[in-house]
Amino acid sequence: MNRADLTMGPLSEQDHAFYGLVWAGSTLAARVDRELGRAHGLPLSWFEVMLWLNGQQEPVAASDLGAKTMLSRSQVSRVVDALAERGLVARSPSASDARSVRIELTEQGRAAFAEADTTRRAVLAPVFTDRLDETDIAALETVWRKLKEPRPGG
């Protein structure tokens, strides 16, 4: 059997859809991670934290970043430390909680994010954006919204 003949065997539509999501997420994330690292020295995890910070007008608590990103609390802490070392984020004490620190992108961080986001878009264009039309994107948005909805009772 040659490599092209490999198959997972019979799968239900649900299984096929699930593995398709896993494949798409892993493949696209790896492509973006590789290029962000090469072009900007930014791992995808750093970019993700910067993405959330870029959307904020005010500094945010690290715990809020942990709740929104796909990173653990300790991973967020390490990423924020690394971004701060490079001058891309600044920390400030929380006015409402002395134990908490608030984080925001610096001007240098906003510029670095904009450059990295341009790279991300260019990397994804031939394998994602250019292949999907508005109907496809709307369908994906519907699926993601449904999958993210909290389930009743937990």
Side-chain angles (χ1 to χ4, degrees):
M1 173 185 289
N2 71 35
R3 191 172 171 176
D5 293 337
L6 292 179
T7 178
M8 287 191 278
L11 293 176
S12 68
E13 286 185 9
Q14 291 85 359
D15 288 341
H16 193 264
F18 170 75
Y19 287 113
L21 287 173
V22 170
W23 173 86
S26 298
T27 302
L28 297 175
R31 183 180 289 251
V32 170
D33 185 54
R34 187 172 43 253
E35 191 58 24
L36 289 176
R38 187 196 68 72
H40 306 282
L42 291 175
L44 184 56
S45 59
W46 295 18
F47 179 83
E48 183 185 6
V49 169
M50 293 172 76
L51 171 72
W52 283 100
L53 290 173
N54 188 64
Q56 310 314 306
Q57 299 305 312
E58 300 291 326
V60 298
S63 59
D64 292 340
L65 284 173
K68 290 292 185 183
T69 67
M70 294 186 285
L71 305 172
S72 70
R73 174 181 270 165
S74 63
Q75 287 172 313
V76 168
S77 180
R78 285 193 297 273
V79 167
V80 168
D81 288 346
L83 291 170
E85 266 183 41
R86 288 184 54 180
L88 302 177
V89 300
R91 293 182 177 105
S92 57
S94 171
S96 61
D97 181 357
R99 300 166 298 163
S100 182
V101 170
R102 305 200 50 90
I103 302 156
E104 65 183 326
L105 283 177
T106 61
E107 286 305 313
Q108 181 184 347
R110 288 195 185 278
F113 172 78
E115 290 175 13
D117 196 41
T118 298
T119 298
R120 177 194 62 85
R121 291 172 192 275
V123 167
L124 288 177
V127 295
F128 184 76
T129 349
D130 294 349
R131 291 184 178 195
L132 304 177
D133 62 25
E134 290 179 20
T135 303
D136 297 329
I137 296 296
L140 284 174
E141 282 292 327
T142 298
V143 169
W144 307 146
R145 198 172 302 111
K146 285 180 179 180
L147 292 175
K148 287 180 179 180
E149 285 176 1
R151 292 186 58 114

Short mmCIF file of all heavy atoms in Angstrom, two decimals, residues 40 42 50 54 88 105-118:
data_model
loop_
_atom_site.label_atom_id
_atom_site.label_comp_id
_atom_site.label_asym_id
_atom_site.label_seq_id
_atom_site.Cartn_x
_atom_site.Cartn_y
_atom_site.Cartn_z
N HIS A 40 8.80 37.29 11.98
CA HIS A 40 8.71 38.27 13.06
C HIS A 40 9.27 37.78 14.40
O HIS A 40 9.27 38.54 15.37
CB HIS A 40 7.25 38.69 13.27
CG HIS A 40 6.61 39.18 12.03
ND1 HIS A 40 6.82 40.44 11.51
CD2 HIS A 40 5.75 38.56 11.17
CE1 HIS A 40 6.12 40.58 10.40
NE2 HIS A 40 5.47 39.45 10.16
N LEU A 42 7.76 35.75 16.28
CA LEU A 42 6.58 35.67 17.16
C LEU A 42 5.92 34.31 17.02
O LEU A 42 5.36 33.99 15.97
CB LEU A 42 5.54 36.72 16.77
CG LEU A 42 5.84 38.18 17.01
CD1 LEU A 42 4.72 39.04 16.43
CD2 LEU A 42 6.00 38.46 18.48
N MET A 50 -1.47 39.01 21.67
CA MET A 50 -1.44 40.35 21.08
C MET A 50 -2.75 40.67 20.36
O MET A 50 -3.22 41.81 20.39
CB MET A 50 -0.25 40.48 20.13
CG MET A 50 1.09 40.42 20.84
SD MET A 50 2.49 40.34 19.70
CE MET A 50 2.55 42.07 19.16
N ASN A 54 -4.83 43.84 21.26
CA ASN A 54 -5.00 44.85 20.22
C ASN A 54 -6.45 45.33 20.13
O ASN A 54 -6.71 46.48 19.78
CB ASN A 54 -4.55 44.31 18.86
CG ASN A 54 -4.53 45.37 17.81
OD1 ASN A 54 -3.76 46.32 17.89
ND2 ASN A 54 -5.38 45.23 16.81
N LEU A 88 6.85 44.85 23.98
CA LEU A 88 5.61 44.82 23.21
C LEU A 88 4.37 44.98 24.07
O LEU A 88 3.31 45.34 23.56
CB LEU A 88 5.54 43.52 22.39
CG LEU A 88 6.71 43.30 21.42
CD1 LEU A 88 6.58 41.96 20.72
CD2 LEU A 88 6.82 44.44 20.42
N LEU A 105 -0.91 46.50 25.11
CA LEU A 105 0.12 46.60 24.10
C LEU A 105 0.75 47.99 24.17
O LEU A 105 0.05 48.99 24.38
CB LEU A 105 -0.47 46.42 22.69
CG LEU A 105 -0.81 45.01 22.23
CD1 LEU A 105 -1.45 45.05 20.84
CD2 LEU A 105 0.41 44.11 22.22
N THR A 106 2.05 48.05 23.99
CA THR A 106 2.73 49.33 23.85
C THR A 106 2.55 49.79 22.39
O THR A 106 2.04 49.03 21.55
CB THR A 106 4.23 49.17 24.15
OG1 THR A 106 4.78 48.25 23.19
CG2 THR A 106 4.47 48.68 25.57
N GLU A 107 2.97 50.99 22.09
CA GLU A 107 2.92 51.45 20.69
C GLU A 107 3.77 50.52 19.82
O GLU A 107 3.37 50.18 18.71
CB GLU A 107 3.38 52.90 20.58
CG GLU A 107 2.36 53.89 21.09
CD GLU A 107 0.98 53.74 20.43
OE1 GLU A 107 0.91 53.63 19.18
OE2 GLU A 107 -0.02 53.71 21.16
N GLN A 108 4.93 50.13 20.35
CA GLN A 108 5.78 49.18 19.62
C GLN A 108 5.04 47.86 19.42
O GLN A 108 5.14 47.23 18.38
CB GLN A 108 7.08 48.96 20.40
CG GLN A 108 8.04 48.02 19.74
CD GLN A 108 9.29 47.76 20.59
OE1 GLN A 108 9.56 48.46 21.57
NE2 GLN A 108 10.04 46.76 20.22
N GLY A 109 4.29 47.43 20.44
CA GLY A 109 3.51 46.20 20.34
C GLY A 109 2.41 46.30 19.30
O GLY A 109 2.16 45.35 18.56
N ARG A 110 1.74 47.43 19.24
CA ARG A 110 0.68 47.62 18.23
C ARG A 110 1.28 47.59 16.82
O ARG A 110 0.69 47.00 15.91
CB ARG A 110 -0.07 48.91 18.48
CG ARG A 110 -0.98 48.82 19.70
CD ARG A 110 -2.01 49.94 19.77
NE ARG A 110 -2.73 49.83 21.03
CZ ARG A 110 -3.75 49.01 21.25
NH1 ARG A 110 -4.18 48.21 20.29
NH2 ARG A 110 -4.35 48.97 22.43
N ALA A 111 2.44 48.20 16.64
CA ALA A 111 3.09 48.18 15.33
C ALA A 111 3.52 46.76 14.96
O ALA A 111 3.32 46.31 13.82
CB ALA A 111 4.29 49.13 15.33
N ALA A 112 4.10 46.04 15.93
CA ALA A 112 4.52 44.66 15.68
C ALA A 112 3.32 43.78 15.37
O ALA A 112 3.38 42.91 14.49
CB ALA A 112 5.29 44.11 16.89
N PHE A 113 2.21 44.00 16.09
CA PHE A 113 1.01 43.22 15.82
C PHE A 113 0.51 43.49 14.40
O PHE A 113 0.15 42.55 13.68
CB PHE A 113 -0.10 43.52 16.83
CG PHE A 113 -1.39 42.87 16.44
CD1 PHE A 113 -1.59 41.52 16.68
CD2 PHE A 113 -2.39 43.58 15.78
CE1 PHE A 113 -2.76 40.88 16.28
CE2 PHE A 113 -3.55 42.96 15.37
CZ PHE A 113 -3.74 41.61 15.62
N ALA A 114 0.46 44.75 13.99
CA ALA A 114 -0.03 45.09 12.66
C ALA A 114 0.81 44.41 11.57
O ALA A 114 0.26 43.86 10.60
CB ALA A 114 -0.05 46.61 12.46
N GLU A 115 2.12 44.41 11.74
CA GLU A 115 3.00 43.75 10.77
C GLU A 115 2.75 42.24 10.76
O GLU A 115 2.66 41.62 9.70
CB GLU A 115 4.46 44.03 11.09
CG GLU A 115 4.88 45.46 10.84
CD GLU A 115 6.30 45.74 11.30
OE1 GLU A 115 7.06 44.77 11.59
OE2 GLU A 115 6.66 46.93 11.38
N ALA A 116 2.66 41.66 11.94
CA ALA A 116 2.44 40.21 12.04
C ALA A 116 1.06 39.83 11.49
O ALA A 116 0.92 38.79 10.84
CB ALA A 116 2.58 39.75 13.49
N ASP A 117 0.07 40.67 11.71
CA ASP A 117 -1.27 40.38 11.21
C ASP A 117 -1.29 40.43 9.68
O ASP A 117 -1.98 39.63 9.04
CB ASP A 117 -2.30 41.33 11.81
CG ASP A 117 -3.72 40.83 11.62
OD1 ASP A 117 -3.95 39.61 11.78
OD2 ASP A 117 -4.59 41.65 11.30
N THR A 118 -0.53 41.33 9.09
CA THR A 118 -0.42 41.38 7.63
C THR A 118 0.19 40.08 7.12
O THR A 118 -0.28 39.50 6.14
CB THR A 118 0.44 42.60 7.20
OG1 THR A 118 -0.24 43.79 7.63
CG2 THR A 118 0.64 42.62 5.71
#
